[in-house]
Amino acid sequence: MTDARPAIGVLISGRGSNLQALIDAAANPAFPARIALVLSNTPDAYGLERAKAAGIPTAVISHRGYGGDRAAFDAAMDRALREAGCQFLCLAGFMRILSEGFVEAWRGRAINIHPSLLPAYRGLDTHARAIADGAKEHGCTVHFVTPGLDEGPAITQALVPILPGDTEDALAARVLAREHDIYPKALGWLAQGRAVLDGDRALIDGKPGPVRL
Ligand code: GRF
């Protein structure tokens, strides 16, 4: 039987634990999306093994083959995603900055997961920076992808308290567990048309995001 659910492309660069959470969610036929392609920019990303184990098509498009031509690299990814019929896109630990043309082409249809309560701690090393600042609260965010890095409107967030004596690793592990919870939920809303990008805000069931989970 053909699977009529909307097709998702997932972009990864590494371990792929969020990809795994999406694979596990989509394994349930009641989940409103299916993963049609997992695309990595590095051939040794462990997430590729996870996809293969689940019988999901994979592709490797190495940015190294494009000599710094970001637009050409993104065009190759775009082609692969369209050929696989992808309607929506999930960035899951994808470590390349996307060109504006690519982001525009997928506007409102691409989401990312980030390990902080955006707009706090955009970029890397979010857990160490939050601990160093003496922050009491941290967490993760699923947001629409827009041209600015980690700047798109938030769909959902989960709050994770920072505990006395927390190490970067301990905090990262607690945040990651929440990432695995909120990312499939946000993808489900996107695929069902319940989460939409409306100008510079995310609407979830018609109300401005982020939804706190
Ligand atoms: C996650 O912390 C995610 O929030 C960030 O990159 C990490 C990817 O981890 N964007 P994984 O590859 O999903 O395990």
Side-chain angles (χ1 to χ4, degrees):
M1 220 175 73
T2 56
D3 189 336
R5 298 176 295 170
I8 311 300
V10 185
L11 301 189
I12 62 166
S13 297
R15 130 189 101 169
S17 70
N18 277 289
L19 164 67
Q20 188 69 56
L22 300 178
I23 290 173
D24 293 346
N28 180 348
F31 187 77
R34 67 185 169 93
I35 302 175
L37 181 67
V38 172
L39 205 167
S40 173
N41 67 306
T42 63
D44 51 0
Y46 182 63
L48 291 168
E49 306 308 318
R50 298 178 188 267
K52 285 174 195 156
I56 297 168
T58 61
V60 175
I61 299 179
S62 172
H63 57 281
R64 295 184 195 282
Y66 292 86
D69 185 344
R70 189 171 289 168
F73 168 63
D74 286 3
M77 287 200 300
D78 190 71
R79 214 174 304 125
L81 291 163
R82 283 173 200 281
E83 276 169 12
C86 298
Q87 292 150 275
F88 298 99
L89 206 54
C90 288
L91 275 53
F94 183 68
M95 300 304 284
R96 307 298 300 173
I97 293 175
L98 296 165
S99 60
E100 210 159 317
F102 183 94
V103 171
E104 280 310 318
W106 290 90
R107 189 176 175 81
R109 298 187 296 136
I111 58 178
N112 179 45
I113 183 135
H114 182 76
S116 78
L117 294 174
L118 290 173
Y121 305 114
R122 294 181 172 124
L124 299 175
D125 300 325
T126 58
H127 311 300
R129 286 155 61 206
I131 291 171
D133 284 351
K136 298 273 177 287
E137 291 182 341
H138 192 47
C140 48
T141 304
V142 179
H143 65 93
F144 280 106
V145 176
T146 57
L149 185 67
D150 302 328
E151 279 183 4
I155 297 169
T156 182
Q157 293 187 314
L159 191 147
V160 176
I162 298 182
L163 306 177
D166 242 345
T167 62
E168 183 181 350
D169 286 352
L171 180 58
R174 292 207 311 285
V175 171
L176 194 63
R178 300 296 285 126
E179 293 182 37
H180 298 162
D181 178 39
I182 71 170
Y183 209 6
K185 289 193 172 111
L187 172 58
W189 297 338
L190 179 73
Q192 287 173 312
R194 292 176 56 193
V196 297
L197 181 61
D198 177 45
D200 59 1
R201 59 187 190 156
L203 295 180
I204 300 89
D205 293 330
K207 297 190 201 75
V211 172
R212 278 290 170 107
L213 287 175

